[in-house]
Amino acid sequence: MAVLICLVALPASAREACWSGWGYFVAPGSLAFQSDRLLLVTDGPADWVPGKRIALYRLDPETGRRVDGRAPIVVRPRAPSFASRNGNRTVDDVAEVVGRDQQLMLGMTRIGPASAARSQDSLAWACGRAR
């Protein structure tokens, strides 16, 4: 049996989009806070499907850049709630944290591809990729 694999290159604008926001580690059941606020970002577009793994990268609150050398926090959304505010798509959830006995309460906003109104530099900054 032959298997055909097609690789599709995503346009640069699709790779630049991300979800950026905050999260707190919480205890399952009680939702008692077990961490300070974490600033988080996805590596690109994320599909917030219940049970599907999503990698979240920590941002340094002082620089806005990704924290070097830290493994991502991998979550599985449980019951994501979506909204749109001022043209921005948002998601909230209390997600399962893969490999931990904690959950992650999170709120994320979709950062869209750059347009004439939003420069590549500001998009890179918002997605934690500023140099």
Side-chain angles (χ1 to χ4, degrees):
M1 171 196 269
V3 176
L4 177 62
I5 298 174
C6 295
L7 298 177
V8 177
L10 292 174
S13 61
R15 289 191 309 271
E16 293 162 356
C18 70
W19 289 80
S20 183
W22 54 266
Y24 294 90
F25 287 115
V26 295
S30 72
L31 299 183
F33 286 85
Q34 296 184 325
S35 74
D36 291 331
R37 181 178 58 182
L38 306 167
L39 298 179
L40 304 165
V41 68
T42 63
D43 199 30
D47 195 6
W48 297 92
V49 173
K52 183 175 180 180
R53 291 177 180 227
I54 297 174
L56 301 172
Y57 297 86
R58 293 180 194 209
L59 297 178
D60 179 330
E62 293 193 22
T63 66
R65 294 185 186 133
R66 292 184 190 194
V67 176
D68 288 332
R70 298 285 303 256
I73 300 167
V74 179
V75 298
R76 284 190 188 114
R78 295 177 55 227
S81 173
F82 296 94
S84 291
R85 294 183 191 116
N86 301 324
N88 294 318
R89 184 98 167 126
T90 62
V91 64
D92 297 306
D93 195 16
V94 179
E96 171 193 347
V97 179
V98 175
R100 290 184 136 172
D101 291 331
Q102 294 174 309
Q103 293 176 321
L104 188 71
M105 180 184 294
L106 57 85
M108 307 289 284
T109 300
R110 184 181 181 281
I111 308 297
S115 65
R118 202 182 333 212
S119 74
Q120 295 292 326
D121 289 342
S122 65
L123 182 65
W125 176 84
C127 290
R129 294 188 295 259
R131 298 283 176 225

